[in-house]
Structures are given as C-alpha cells and as structure tokens.
Amino acid sequence: MRRSPKQTVGPRNTALLFGALAVAVRLPFLISGKIPFDSDEAVEGLMARHVLNGDLPAFFWGQAFKGVPEVYAAAAVFALFGSSVVALKSVTLAFFAAYVGLNFVLLDRMASRWMAVATSLLLIFAPPALVFWSLDASAEYIVIMLLGTMLLLLCLRLEEPGRAKAGEQRAESRVQRGLLLPIGLVCGVGFWTHQIFVFYLIPAAFILIMRSDRWRRRAFGRPNAATLALGAIAIVYVALGLIAFLTGGFAFRLGPLAVSATAPQKMLRIAAGITGLAAMLHVSASMTRERARAVMSEYWPLAAGFLVGYLPVLLYSVLIEPARSPARVADLRQLMAAAPDILGNVVPILAGFKIATTERLAVPLLAVLPGVAALGAYVWSIRGRLGRLITLRAGETSIGGDFFALFVLFVPTLFLASGAYLDTQSYRYLIPWYAGLAVAWAAGSLALAGQRKPIATAIVGAILAIHAWQQVIWYQKLTPDVQSISTIACLERNGIRGGFADYWTAYKITFLAHEAIVIAPANGIDRNARYTAFVRSLPDEMRIDDAARCH
C-alpha cells in the first residue's frame, strides 16, 4: 500500500467519528444484557474490585502469564460508576473504539483515505467473533491490537524521510531517538499483556532491520569462532525441530544419558535463543569500544522503555515466582488431525458463518464469495512484495508498504506452527488477525476492481452487508442470562453465603452477587484460594454443594 501524496494526514475528527460508530454499533449487544458473560470475565471484574482494595495483580488470577492492564482500567471505571457487567465490558469496548480510531489514522498515513474508511467500516461491521471479543472483559486481544497499531504508528515516524535541511540533522536525529522510549514501552506492555504481541513485533522488526544501514551495506563483519560454533548449534536445533515436527521426533538412551527431540516448538525456541546470543556476541566482538558506547548512548531509551512496560512481569518473577507461559507441542501429524476442526469450525467462526459454540448461522454459504474473492485478490496483488521480502532485498521495503502483506500470512502461520491450537476455542488467538483481514478485504476489493474505487466500494459494501447480516442473526439468537439472577435470588432466600459450582458458574455468581455470596469452583482452576477457604469455613446451613441446583 502506498499513500497518495495529496492526501491529508491525521484527520482526528474522522478518527473520533469511527471510534464513536464502533461504540454505537455494539451498544445493542452491551445494554441488552444479551452478550454472554462467563466466569473468566467475572474473574477480571473481581480482580478490578480488589484493585480498589489495594491488590496489585500482575497476571490473571491462578496463572503466571497474561497481563491484566484492562483490570486497572476496569478498577478506574468501577470507582467512578460502580461495578457491573456493563461497566466491565465497556472497558473493552473503549479499548476497541480507541483501536479503530488509531487504526484509521495509521491507514490514512500509510495508504489512503479510502483504505482507512473502508478498513474502519470492516472492523466495525465485522463477523460476530470480533464483535464478541470487542465486548468480552478478557480484553487482551483488543489491547494487543491497540498496542500493535501504536507500534506501527511509531515505526512509521521512524521511517519518515528526513524533514530537516542540511545542518539540521542533529535535531532530526533527536526526534528519532525520542521515539525509542515509547517504542520500548509499547513493546514491554505488549509482552506483559500477551505473548501474541509477536504477531506485530516480528514483522515490524523484520522490515526495520532490512531497512537499516548495516543491512543495506551488508556490513556484518566476519564471524569469529565462537559465533560460528553457536550458529552451528542453532542449525542443529532447527534440524531437530524440523525432524520432530515432520516425524514426531525420537527418544532413546545412551547409557545413563536420555536423548530426545519430540517437542518441535521447544527446539525452535532454543534455536532462536542461541541465534540471538550468537548475534549479540558477533556484534559486540565486531564493535570498537567507542562504537559500543555510541550505540548504548543511542539505544538505551529503547531498553529503558521496555523495562518500564515489562516491569509487572519482572517484579512478579522476583517477588513471587518466575513468570511462565504454558509450553505447547504440535507436530505435523497433530495438525493434520486438527484440520477438520480448523477448516470446519475455526475458519467458519472467523468468517462469521458459525458462532463460538460451532452453531451454524442461517447465512447462505454463497455469501462467502465477496470476502474470499477480495482476500484472494489481495494475496495475488502482494506476491511481488512478498517475493522481495523473501529474497531479503533491502531498500525496497517499508512498514507502510509491506507490514500488512507480511502480517496477513505470518499470523496464521505462526498460530499453526507454535502449537497455539488446542481445540475450537483456540480461534481466540487469531482475533488480532482481523486487523490484517480488514486491510486485505479493502485492498483486495481495490485490486479486484482494477483500482476503480466505485466498483471497489460496491465490493466492500457487499462484505459489510454480509457481516451486518451475520450480526443481526446472531443478536436475534442471543438471550439474557436470567438463570444466574434466579440462582442468586434462591441462595439469598435460603440464607446461603457460599458454596461450590462448576467453574463457569462459580465466579460469575460471585461477581454478580457482589461477593455477598461466594461460590468457589468444584472443578477447573481455583483462581482464588481465599474464596475456597471462606466457603469451607462456613457452617453447613450456610453452604451449598452445588449452587446451580438452587432455582
């Protein structure tokens, strides 16, 4: 995508308008009480209440990963308006509205006003999956989209050609160095929020590295023996990872020594770590002391910003326990076995023809044609850019022209290769992909129309109409949760102060009852041991074994 030089940059009022439209379109789902509310969301709400009482969580209760910036935002909303499901979900909606507005500014700068408008509308009138997650209190996917857009806006400024005249390069250099602190901060907060921030970081970093002077000049220097040795070890781990992925790996013993390579993702992570170590060793060995000091002086704001954004993880790791995310293992055989579910459920959910329960919406399959045609035209139109990226041709790449071309293909590839897929509900990790899909649908419509905007507008209009149709049918199928209210009323009538229930009921009841009644999970993860201890301390007449039976 290339922006027209005559296009006005940064239309704040239009961005605000699209942000407001994003809120307006989702208000019926929010205020009707129809949108589902589950125990994971309730935990977010309970955490926000506890923030107001002095708790400062780094992660979602019961785990040492997935940061919770949305919990602190929800706590502020609760302090102003009181705690409720609407208030809790409105925080995610506010993040989504901010994302839509910033994304409009981003695309207006990197492409054109038409692209910015079309993409914004495609994000607002989106398949039900995006509508659901833009109202779900577990806001990490929307927060990642917002942070990713902020990163791209900052990277665009890094790429801007020097505006300074001769003799003013120092001022221009200071402006660019001033961007490093916020870039580091965004990356730190992104990785605290969720590791899928790599969806944005890796393509952006890859493009920026290719545009660097060192890459253009191929001034890499001659690797020393230690660097070559580490590189060889990394290659061995890559080979082991590929063997494990393609064949399932191997395991055997050599006397007391156990040798195995059965986890391809683990092998590749080790290879990436060794490669990074080799690169740092090579760069440090090839630099003079003066050059090293100059680099540190120039880039320390990047590291400082990252440390500030990532501080919750560091503090948690030092004061409580090492932060960690669950290790995933997936090989080719497992992915082939998962193909029917991915193609039969995950893809239709993302396209809006099914909802997360895998229930089919009454929309004819022919309605998929405009979106598929536009997506196919987009992939065909970017083949040249992808070729330049694959062949590592420096100087011909840019964030504005190449990021989304890389992003659209990189996200599903990483999703499959990383082992993120566990079951149908793993589709949620692909929610940030809508940032690229909306661009692909808009740009693909232009390509399909031969760059004739009236025809492209009609194609985008057809896609929008289909998504709006899906939203309406889904909305009509939704019903308010009256069972939880009935359960709470029954517990209050019987003088019950606590009890146990299925995980997906327990925390929801606790939140809706404002913790006057505490229900701990009888299965699943115990998110808060204090709740469970309280329930067990209650006398028998004030405790119930299964809260769901009370109606």
Side-chain angles (χ1 to χ4, degrees):
M1 296 180 294
R2 292 186 178 179
R3 188 186 177 282
S4 169
K6 296 182 180 180
Q7 184 65 59
T8 303
V9 177
R12 295 182 181 179
N13 291 337
T14 310
L16 290 172
L17 176 64
F18 278 112
L21 182 61
V23 173
V25 169
R26 280 154 177 75
L27 271 182
F29 293 93
L30 180 63
I31 64 178
S32 66
K34 284 187 169 186
I35 196 77
F37 179 66
D38 63 35
S39 269
D40 277 351
E41 293 179 274
V43 169
E44 300 257 359
L46 292 166
M47 292 175 70
R49 283 186 191 151
H50 286 230
V51 166
L52 296 177
N53 294 328
D55 284 359
L56 297 175
F59 298 113
F60 194 62
W61 279 347
Q63 59 192 43
F65 62 97
K66 196 193 99 55
V68 285
E70 70 274 16
V71 163
Y72 292 92
V77 171
F78 286 1
L80 293 172
F81 304 105
S83 61
S84 66
V85 174
V86 171
L88 184 61
K89 287 179 174 289
S90 67
V91 172
T92 305
L93 181 55
F95 281 130
F96 182 72
Y99 158 68
V100 169
L102 278 181
N103 196 61
F104 177 88
V105 174
L106 173 71
L107 291 171
D108 191 61
R109 290 182 181 180
M110 67 163 48
S112 69
R113 180 62 53 81
W114 186 93
M115 274 292 301
V117 169
T119 302
S120 298
L121 291 173
L122 286 162
L123 288 166
I124 293 167
F125 298 95
L130 182 56
V131 177
F132 175 85
W133 285 101
S134 61
L135 288 169
D136 192 275
S138 298
E140 63 267 24
Y141 307 112
I142 303 303
V143 172
I144 289 297
M145 295 168 77
L146 175 61
L147 291 170
T149 303
M150 293 169 65
L151 174 66
L152 294 178
L153 282 166
L154 291 167
C155 289
L156 272 183
R157 291 194 62 191
L158 277 180
E159 278 195 346
E160 287 176 358
R163 295 184 298 271
K165 298 177 182 179
E168 296 180 349
Q169 286 90 351
R170 289 185 181 178
E172 182 68 19
S173 178
R174 283 197 298 271
V175 170
Q176 297 229 326
R177 283 201 302 272
L179 296 172
L180 296 178
L181 181 66
I183 287 175
L185 181 62
V186 167
C187 291
V189 175
F191 278 110
W192 168 44
T193 303
H194 204 291
Q195 291 80 9
I196 60 171
F197 187 70
V198 297
F199 285 166
Y200 282 90
L201 182 62
I202 290 178
F206 178 68
I207 292 169
L208 289 177
I209 288 170
M210 287 184 63
R211 287 179 59 84
S212 67
D213 289 337
R214 183 181 286 267
W215 184 275
R216 290 176 180 177
R217 293 184 284 108
R218 296 295 194 271
F220 304 132
R222 190 180 184 87
N224 57 28
T227 302
L228 290 173
L230 287 174
I233 294 172
I235 290 172
V236 170
Y237 272 101
V238 169
L240 291 174
L242 290 174
I243 291 171
F245 181 77
L246 295 173
T247 69
F250 56 85
F252 58 87
R253 298 192 68 86
L254 289 174
L257 182 64
V259 179
S260 67
T262 56
Q265 287 74 28
K266 180 180 178 180
M267 299 292 109
L268 294 177
R269 282 197 300 270
I270 293 173
I274 294 174
T275 300
L277 180 62
M280 288 189 293
L281 181 64
H282 173 66
V283 170
S284 63
S286 61
M287 279 187 182
T288 63
R289 185 172 299 178
E290 292 74 16
R291 176 58 182 160
R293 279 200 294 265
V295 169
M296 290 178 65
S297 174
E298 182 175 1
Y299 287 100
W300 73 262
L302 182 68
F306 182 85
L307 289 175
V308 171
Y310 203 61
L311 190 59
V313 182
L314 299 176
L315 290 176
Y316 184 93
S317 298
V318 170
L319 300 176
I320 302 176
E321 62 175 327
R324 62 192 182 279
S325 57
R328 300 286 174 81
V329 177
D331 56 32
L332 183 61
R333 179 185 57 79
Q334 291 168 316
L335 288 179
M336 294 295 290
D341 183 49
I342 292 173
L343 297 176
N345 288 316
V346 172
V347 172
I349 288 171
L350 293 171
F353 290 88
K354 284 187 175 182
I355 53 179
T357 58
T358 70
E359 181 182 356
R360 177 84 160 79
L361 294 178
V363 179
L365 278 178
L366 284 176
V368 78
L369 291 179
V372 169
L375 184 58
Y378 177 71
V379 173
W380 180 256
S381 70
I382 63 173
R383 66 192 187 282
R385 288 194 171 277
L386 291 174
R388 287 191 287 274
L389 289 168
I390 292 170
T391 55
L392 306 178
R393 276 181 265 174
E396 299 180 29
T397 61
S398 68
I399 292 290
D402 296 298
F403 176 82
F404 283 108
L406 198 56
F407 183 85
V408 167
L409 298 180
F410 175 73
V411 170
T413 301
L414 184 61
F415 171 78
L416 294 173
S418 66
Y421 171 84
L422 292 177
D423 53 32
T424 302
Q425 296 308 310
S426 298
Y427 85 91
R428 65 189 185 275
Y429 298 121
L430 289 169
I431 293 302
W433 195 31
Y434 281 113
L437 284 177
V439 169
W441 283 324
S445 297
L446 267 178
L448 205 58
Q451 304 302 312
R452 289 168 290 187
K453 288 183 180 177
I455 298 175
T457 301
I459 297 171
V460 170
I463 299 172
L464 290 172
I466 292 162
H467 291 168
W469 187 7
Q470 293 167 340
Q471 287 189 27
V472 169
I473 293 175
W474 179 50
Y475 180 82
Q476 292 172 341
K477 295 176 75 66
L478 294 172
T479 56
D481 178 13
V482 295
Q483 182 176 341
S484 296
I485 304 303
S486 173
T487 299
I488 292 171
C490 173
L491 295 172
E492 290 174 342
R493 284 196 309 270
N494 288 279
I496 302 297
R497 291 288 312 282
F500 295 93
D502 176 76
Y503 175 89
W504 296 107
T505 298
Y507 294 112
K508 179 166 63 171
I509 297 297
T510 304
F511 178 81
L512 293 174
H514 293 269
E515 297 177 80
I517 299 171
V518 174
I519 305 298
N523 55 12
I525 299 174
D526 188 350
R527 298 286 180 192
N528 191 325
R530 289 175 292 180
Y531 288 155
T532 305
F534 170 78
V535 170
R536 287 176 176 161
S537 70
L538 290 171
D540 291 344
E541 65 273 14
M542 300 177 68
R543 186 176 65 224
I544 188 170
D545 291 334
D546 187 355
R549 293 181 180 175
C550 192
H551 295 294

